[in-house]
Every structure is written in C-alpha cells, then in structure tokens.
Amino acid sequence: MTPEVDFTLLGLFGRATLTVQIVMLMLIFASIWGWAVIIGKHLTFRRARAEAGRFDAEFWSGNPLDELFDRIGEDPDGPAEKVFASGMIEWQRSQKDDGGMIAGAEARIDRTMDVAIAKEAEALNRGLPLLATIGSTAPFIGLFGTVWGIKHSFEQIAIQGSTNLAVVAPGIAEALLATALGLLAAIPAVIFYNKLSGDSDKVAGEYENFADEFAMILSRQLERQGS
C-alpha cells in the first residue's frame, strides 16, 4: 500500500529543498510587501483626492486668496494646498514696496508651482516601481524554484532507480508550487501598478489644471496692476 502523501501547502513546503523553500519565502514576502504598497497607495490617493476636493471648494468660494493663504500658511499639509502656497509665496516675494511687481513674476510663479507639482507627483509615485519590479521578476524567481525542484526530483529518481509516478509526483508538485507563488505575487502587482499609475497621473493632472487656472488668475491681476 502506497503511503499517503501530504499535498497541502504546508506539506509541500516542508518537503521542498532548502533552496526552493528560500524561493517560496522570498515570493511570499514579495507578495505581502506588494499588497502593503497597494493598500497604502490606495489610501494615499483617496486622501489626496479628498483634500483636493475640499481645497478646490475653498479656493472657488469667492473669498480673497490672501485670506485663504493666511489660513493655510506657507507650509500646509495637503498637496493641493502646497501647490497653491508655493504660487502665493512667489507672488508675495515678487511684489515691490510701491505695489508694483518685479519683472518676470508670472514666469517665476509658474516655475515655482511646476516644482511643487513635480514634488507631489514624485510622492504619489513612490512605491510604484516596487510593484513593477515584483510584477516583472516574481514569475522568473518562481520558475527558478520550479526548475531547481524538478532537478531535485530527477536526482531522486536516479538515486532510487524508479520512475514510478508516486516517486516523481510529490517532487514535481513541490516544484510547481514555487511557480504558483511567483504568479500569485506578480499578477496583482502588475494589475495594480497599471491602475495606480493611472490614478497618480490623474491626480497630478488635477494639480496641473489647478496651477494653470491659478496662474491665469494671477496673470489677470498683473494686467490690472499694469494698466
């Protein structure tokens, strides 16, 4: 009677060679790390959109922009507020004592807000390269574990001198588990990398649209002061 073989995940992991076990642990860690990034970025984008919505309502409420700037300060917490604050800081620095504006103020304000947007976009994208790395490498790491496990199975066949399926099957099952874990880590990483990258571009695009609208408001103000 053939002894019963444990084909549970823990059973397959326990019978695997040390090399394959290390590969499996790496893939499990990569999967957990990837999901941590996915959840963290989802919460980050959710907070960014909510903050941008609140600030947008305040910005277009009709209240003076100087009052809004005085309330949020020069170093606010929200990304949209930081873009606005950077433009207002440069606006105030460009004002002369007689009420006029220093030449080139509009270009400097635009560049200042572009720098602020670039910093916020970098913060939004932080962690996404990790998902791309996991998505592109995890299947190959799993495949390496599978190849190594199958090699070990063939070695056992040679040692035991038997090609019985009962001898081959457990080793192959252990080896294929590494590939399965690699796909389990890679597939969500690729899917959410594409989604989160799109979300990041959308949020950054909203900051750019706001900066353009704000720049037009300041441009009209400059034209009134110059007339």
Side-chain angles (χ1 to χ4, degrees):
M1 181 177 180
T2 304
E4 184 177 352
V5 181
D6 183 7
F7 283 103
T8 64
L9 295 179
L10 288 178
L12 293 173
F13 177 82
R15 288 196 307 271
T17 64
L18 178 61
T19 301
V20 178
Q21 288 179 344
I22 292 174
V23 168
M24 291 180 182
L25 290 175
M26 289 174 57
L27 293 172
I28 292 172
F29 176 75
S31 180
I32 294 173
W33 196 359
W35 278 107
V37 171
I38 290 168
I39 295 172
K41 299 312 292 185
H42 174 75
L43 296 176
T44 297
F45 292 153
R46 184 177 179 180
R47 287 193 298 267
R49 285 191 291 264
E51 184 270 339
R54 289 192 300 269
F55 175 76
D56 195 58
E58 293 184 50
F59 182 82
W60 297 107
S61 63
N63 296 325
L65 297 182
D66 289 335
E67 292 183 5
L68 177 59
F69 179 59
D70 291 339
R71 186 183 65 78
I72 68 175
E74 294 186 359
D75 189 22
D77 295 328
E81 293 177 344
K82 289 181 179 179
V83 175
F84 168 74
S86 67
M88 287 298 296
I89 291 172
E90 187 59 37
W91 166 267
Q92 292 181 350
R93 290 175 178 173
S94 298
Q95 292 183 358
K96 298 179 180 179
D97 294 336
D98 59 1
M101 298 297 294
I102 300 174
E106 187 174 352
R108 287 194 302 274
I109 292 171
D110 288 339
R111 286 197 299 269
T112 299
M113 288 193 293
D114 287 342
V115 171
I117 292 172
K119 290 181 179 178
E120 297 307 318
E122 181 181 356
L124 290 173
N125 289 323
R126 192 174 297 126
L128 295 185
L130 174 66
L131 294 181
T133 300
I134 292 174
S136 61
T137 61
F140 296 104
I141 295 174
L143 181 60
F144 168 75
T146 295
V147 171
W148 191 272
I150 291 177
K151 179 186 79 71
H152 178 72
S153 297
F154 283 130
E155 290 174 352
Q156 293 302 310
I157 292 174
I159 292 172
Q160 298 184 21
S162 173
T163 58
N164 191 330
L165 187 61
V167 176
V168 179
I172 294 178
E174 298 155 15
L176 291 176
L177 179 60
T179 295
L181 291 175
L183 295 175
L184 185 65
I187 292 174
V190 172
I191 292 174
F192 282 99
Y193 171 78
N194 293 328
K195 179 184 183 303
L196 294 173
S197 295
D199 291 343
S200 177
D201 293 340
K202 183 177 180 180
V203 174
E206 292 175 355
Y207 295 154
E208 292 175 356
N209 292 336
F210 164 76
D212 291 339
E213 293 171 345
F214 185 34
M216 285 190 291
I217 293 174
L218 296 181
S219 177
R220 286 194 293 267
Q221 182 66 22
L222 288 172
E223 291 176 358
R224 284 196 294 267
Q225 291 180 359
S227 60

